C-alpha cells in the first residue's frame, strides 16, 4: 500500500472537462499541469507534444476534435493500466514460483 501512489495519473483532454480544478497537480500545488516524456516512448507523449506545440503557436493546430482526443486519452489510460496490472501479476507469479521452489 505504501509503495503505490495515492492517485494514478490519467491522460485527459482539457476541452472535455469543465472543472479547471481537475487540471491541478496536488503534490506540486500548481493549478495547471501537463506531463510528457520523450515522444519516441509513448503515443500519448506524441499527442501531448503536438498539442503543446500547436497551443504555443510553434506548429499548425492538430486536426482532431476534442472528443477524438479524449478517446485517444482513454485508450492510452486503459493500455497503461492493463500494462501495470500485468507487470504486478507477473511479479506476483514469479514470487510465488520462487517461494514454492525454495520451500
Amino acid at each position: 500500500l505504501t509503495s503505490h501512489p495515492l492517485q494514478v495519473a490519467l491522460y485527459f483532454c482539457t476541452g472535455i472537462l469543465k472543472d479547471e480544478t481537475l487540471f491541478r497537480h496536488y503534490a506540486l500545488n500548481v493549478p495547471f499541469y501537463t506531463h510528457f516524456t520523450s515522444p519516441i516512448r509513448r503515443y500519448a507523449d506524441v499527442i501531448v507534444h503536438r498539442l503543446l506545440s500547436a497551443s504555443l503557436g510553434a506548429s499548425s493546430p492538430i486536426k482532431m476534435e476534442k472528443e477524438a482526443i479524449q478517446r485517444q486519452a482513454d485508450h492510452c489510460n486503459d493500455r497503461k493500466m492493463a500494462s501495470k496490472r500485468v507487470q504486478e501479476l507477473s511479479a506476483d507469479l514469479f514470487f510465488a514460483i520462487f517461494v514454492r521452489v525454495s520451500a
Side-chain angles (χ1 to χ4, degrees), residues 30-97:
V30 293
F32 296 101
Y33 178 80
T34 189
H35 171 81
F36 56 89
T37 61
S38 169
I40 63 170
R41 291 189 58 215
R42 297 182 294 209
Y43 181 67
D45 297 317
V46 171
I47 296 296
V48 171
H49 274 251
R50 289 177 182 169
L51 291 168
L52 281 172
S53 180
S55 69
L56 295 172
S59 66
S60 59
I62 191 167
K63 293 183 167 96
M64 289 176 73
E65 296 292 326
K66 59 186 174 185
E67 293 80 14
I69 294 170
Q70 185 59 48
R71 282 193 302 274
Q72 288 294 322
D74 291 340
H75 178 73
C76 290
N77 290 330
D78 290 343
R79 298 295 84 214
K80 182 174 75 169
M81 295 302 168
S83 173
K84 183 172 177 53
R85 183 69 181 137
V86 168
Q87 181 181 2
E88 291 169 352
L89 290 171
S90 176
D92 291 348
L93 173 66
F94 281 99
F95 180 71
I97 291 169

